Amino acid sequence: MVRRIPKHLVRKGMFIESVECPDTEFSGRRFLVQSDDTLRAILATSATYALVNPQKSTVDIDGAAPSTLQAEERQRTIETVAQATQTLRGSFDAVRMGQLQVEALNPVADEISDRIEASPDIFLKVTRLKSKDKGTYVHSLAVSALMMRLARSLGYAEDAMRELGVAGLLHDVGKLMVPNAILNKNGGLEAAERRVVRNHPEIGYRLLKEQGNVSEMILDICRYHHEALDGSGYPAGLKADRIGPEIRLATVCDVFEALTSTRPYKRPWTARDALNWMFDREQLFDKKMVIRLGGIFAD
Ligand SMILES: [Fe+2]
């Protein structure tokens, strides 16, 4: 029987019945994958999946396929997360010195977008393996991934999606200035410590603004991702009519990621619990976006 697999998992020796995208060199073609060039061409299409015929393939797809393919995908995702974390760390260091090349983050966003398209579950599971000192970086990768996935589901164009992905990568850059002892603290924060944490959107905004090459959308998301629709958020206490859709999108993804991940002070919630909790708080979060996110991640 023909098997539908993510395009990233196509290998030489597989017989392709269809690359699932319109209007490319592959439309209407059935062929055996024989070269790295063909693999790269398949990866470059807008397809998410390809249909593979195990009977006509020269490699064994039926036998060990599902677990092998999953393991490969997991390994590839682990590598993506490791590399992306390193690039992001470099970018955060550059921000500190006022030398951020914001375009350098475009390929990171693209790679994350590819991985989450292939398998949102594995990407999020892998980011859960984060260690404490990498917390902000990996949280940012996961939020970036969620934002792009949600943006795709809402019909954003590729360019805007990527910009949202970069905004996700940079939204918490202000945490550079929050001591790790506070970020990783077990138990509740003192009032003074809470003030320091709540300063991170404004600090991040100022840092990014100083770079001189960061878009308004990215600046806004950094500054306002902790605002709430009823005006109870921070730092500006903006009300719903002043909170644009991209900021709402970022907030929903940020909170969902925070609730479903492990933190020093809490256990992870299930996707369902997190979505229900947010759904019940329409005074804080954009309900339509929560519902849309639920369509992607509810188990
Ligand atoms: Fe934040």
Side-chain angles (χ1 to χ4, degrees), residues 139 171-172 175 200-201 222 225-226 234 254:
H139 164 69
H171 78 284
D172 262 349
K175 285 195 176 162
H200 80 269
C222 179
H225 68 273
H226 286 288
Y234 63 91
D254 183 34

Side-chain angles (χ1 to χ4, degrees), residues 74-95:
R74 189 180 166 80
Q75 188 52 39
R76 196 179 278 229
T77 305
I78 288 171
E79 283 160 21
T80 297
V81 169
Q83 275 170 16
T85 304
Q86 230 174 6
T87 310
L88 191 57
R89 192 189 293 270
S91 293
F92 274 36
D93 287 345
V95 167

